Amino acid sequence: MKSEIENKVLPEHFVAIKAAIEAGSEIMRIYEGGNFQIESKEDNSPITLADKSANTIINEFLKPTGIPIISEENAETEFSERKLWDSCWIVDPLDGTKEFINKNGEFTVNIALVKNNKPVFGVIYIPVSKELYFGNVVEGSSFKMIIDNKTLEEDLLKYAEEIFPVSAQRTIRIAGSRSHINEETLEFIEGIRKKYSQEVKVIPKGSSLKFCLIADGTLNIYPRIGTTMEWDTAAGHAICKAVGIRVFDMKTNRELVYNKQNLKNNSFVVSNLLDVS
């Protein structure tokens, strides 16, 4: 008989979970070996052997599902073809390459399933801490677990625990980007401080880890004023949405959407506060 958690994870979801764990293991092999082989992409952002190797592993897991893949490290499919997709995977095989290079541990593997331009499932794996988060939007639940030899050898999902956001009490805890803070973000944070007349604490974190920490109640708000790509946000968006947290576009004041013609996101806010506009 399936457990309650297993009933909330479809076969393709489990494939994504396994892909994230295996990609994370490969990332750690390279991370601990120090063979980074840092190169620069066309936009001058760094790419390493870990990005490429993790991407290969994830593609090997996901291709048999028959669902097309958008990945930071895959060649981009023309929108004339993509716009016909009703479902797709959106993947960042190593989110936080700068954190990986700086060896601070705050990098992740992101895999999301998107249907009709909205995220329905997401998994984020943090290889250094072996923390795995996943969320099913349809079922309205997200989970966290630690991956170790025991969980891999036995029934993987039975060790997962459901997570819930926590409302701000005396202190509003805001996720600050470790690599991308700017003046507009500081102004936004000051606006929150004035609006709520509460103590505000900014906690720097790298990569999509920020989404996970809002979903599990560690943090309350994540403002991202600046450019991100769909693969930076889709998995975290799903995990947060599954527990009732808004991820909204600051330009349209609507939920972020995916598989757009331009895969860049507008500035956005992730929040469990009622009003942050």
Side-chain angles (χ1 to χ4, degrees), residues 32 50 58 78 133 148 154 156 185 190 232 255 266-267:
E32 292 170 346
I58 293 169
E78 292 292 335
Y133 290 80
D148 56 25
E154 299 180 23
L156 180 66
T185 304
E190 184 59 28
D232 296 317
E255 181 181 12
N266 291 328
S267 298

Side-chain angles (χ1 to χ4, degrees), residues 106-177:
E106 293 180 359
F107 50 86
T108 59
V109 178
N110 303 344
I111 303 175
L113 180 60
V114 167
K115 293 189 176 182
N116 299 316
N117 307 104
K118 295 184 178 181
V120 295
F121 178 80
V123 54
I124 292 176
Y125 183 49
I126 307 155
V128 168
S129 62
K130 297 188 176 182
E131 294 170 288
L132 180 85
Y133 290 80
F134 61 93
N136 184 336
V137 174
V138 175
E139 293 290 341
S141 51
S142 290
F143 301 86
K144 176 184 178 180
M145 61 185 298
I146 303 296
I147 301 300
D148 56 25
N149 291 335
K150 182 178 180 181
T151 57
L152 290 175
E153 290 169 2
E154 299 180 23
D155 181 2
L156 180 66
L157 297 182
K158 76 177 184 179
Y159 295 97
E161 296 183 357
E162 192 163 0
I163 58 174
F164 304 93
V166 177
S167 298
Q169 302 298 322
R170 294 182 179 179
T171 302
I172 297 174
R173 294 153 297 172
I174 300 180
S177 176

Side-chain angles (χ1 to χ4, degrees), residues 53-69:
S53 297
N55 190 60
T56 298
I57 289 169
I58 293 169
N59 276 274
E60 288 173 351
F61 271 91
L62 298 186
K63 281 181 179 178
T65 67
I67 300 170
I69 304 167

Side-chain angles (χ1 to χ4, degrees), residues 11 28 34 36 47 115 117 130 146 170 183 193 244 261:
M28 286 307 297
F36 292 0
I47 182 171
K115 293 189 176 182
N117 307 104
K130 297 188 176 182
I146 303 296
R170 294 182 179 179
E183 188 63 33
R193 182 180 285 110
Q261 182 169 1

Side-chain angles (χ1 to χ4, degrees), residues 25 37 44 67 112 143 166 187 230 255:
S25 295
Q37 296 184 15
N44 291 321
I67 300 170
F143 301 86
V166 177
E187 290 174 3
E230 291 187 7
E255 181 181 12

